[in-house]
Amino acid sequence: MDKISLLERLRNSSRGNFFSTEIPKATKEDEKKIEELVSELESEGKIKLRECAQREYSVYLHGIIKYTIE
């Protein structure tokens, strides 16, 4: 998974500006990669994360997608 595919997944799981999704993970490395990608998207100003919950087999993300004109 890369930043673009993660952002598309968040956009597809959104209602208006809000998104809520669970991303399956297989290993701890997957979990770390997802956290890195989310933090990159936050630092770029594309999303605002409200909740990130580590579950047994997935990572739950909830937040706001920021729409900006580039």
Side-chain angles (χ1 to χ4, degrees):
M1 179 177 283
D2 60 348
K3 277 194 311 188
I4 303 299
S5 62
L6 177 60
L7 189 57
E8 282 300 315
R9 184 177 185 132
L10 296 177
R11 284 186 178 147
N12 290 336
S13 65
S14 68
R15 290 194 127 174
N17 289 22
F18 296 98
F19 65 85
S20 178
T21 188
E22 279 194 60
I23 302 172
K25 65 178 180 178
T27 64
K28 282 285 192 189
E29 292 173 4
D30 291 345
E31 179 181 323
K32 290 180 184 177
K33 182 69 175 173
I34 292 168
E35 288 177 0
E36 288 173 9
L37 294 173
V38 167
S39 66
E40 285 180 33
L41 289 172
E42 271 192 300
S43 67
E44 292 173 2
K46 297 188 181 206
I47 65 169
K48 173 67 176 150
L49 193 64
R50 287 188 168 181
E51 181 181 358
C52 179
Q54 309 299 327
R55 297 189 176 158
E56 190 171 344
Y57 298 107
S58 65
V59 177
Y60 174 76
L61 301 172
H62 175 73
I64 301 171
I65 295 177
K66 296 182 178 180
Y67 294 101
T68 59
I69 299 172
E70 295 182 15

